[in-house]
Amino acid sequence: MTDTSRSASPSPPPAAAFSSAPTQAVVLAGGQGSRLRPYTDDRPKPMVEIPGTGVPIIGHQLAWLASEGVTDVVVSCGHLAGVLQEWLAEAELPLRVTTVVEEEPLGRGGGLKYAARHLPDPEGSWYATNGDIWTRFSLREMAAFHTERGAVATLALARPRIPWGVVETNEFGQVLDFIEAPPSPYPVNAGVYVFGPEFVALLPDLGDHERTTFPRLARERRLAGFPLPQGAYWRAIDTAKDLTEAARELAAQTGS
């Protein structure tokens, strides 16, 4: 096991109104990012920079988490962990960061459980996010949604745009219209979560929680889905095309 900690002087979270919102989080940053090669030949996926920002994906994530009142983050490292740990050690961080590295691959669920055991408050709720997600929305609202529904786990739901144009037809098979890159009619797992403290014990020691724990909670009606607010930015950075599109979207937002 490798366990390193990095302290900063985080600003105190704006308190009372959001007392139920978590102040701790796990970032899963161990993927190899094979579809992002050659960018990931010498760095892990979360260390790939968003073009035009000079900041790696994980830097954007940590800034977002801090802005939502998070003070402590556990980063689960894997592929080229030393590169990520070195950046975290040198960066000006807005919160406290601990890094952990699995001695052996534990799977997504086992890795999440291992990382969660290093959170500072085992009795508190916590956020988790995949290390390749670039997004902005209110985590506090998601935490309130989670609490109101009495859920053990809540996942954010996104409706990404379909990368192809679609054809609209009527019941007679006549083409009515062509729609370029419409939003998906089905929500997808956005890779951002709120978990109650009891969730850790439900995770497998080895394996994938999305094939075990999540289906079990869904059957028991203890798994909630929080739709991202309309207009919220969300993108999974999986390929070089995603980097290009993220840079273009950023330029459109900033007017540059």
Side-chain angles (χ1 to χ4, degrees), residues 121-146:
D121 180 11
E123 301 302 319
S125 297
W126 46 292
Y127 298 117
T129 181
N130 296 340
D132 58 357
I133 300 298
W134 191 24
T135 186
R136 286 292 186 278
F137 65 91
S138 174
L139 284 173
R140 294 181 176 98
E141 290 183 9
M142 184 176 174
F145 179 96
H146 169 86

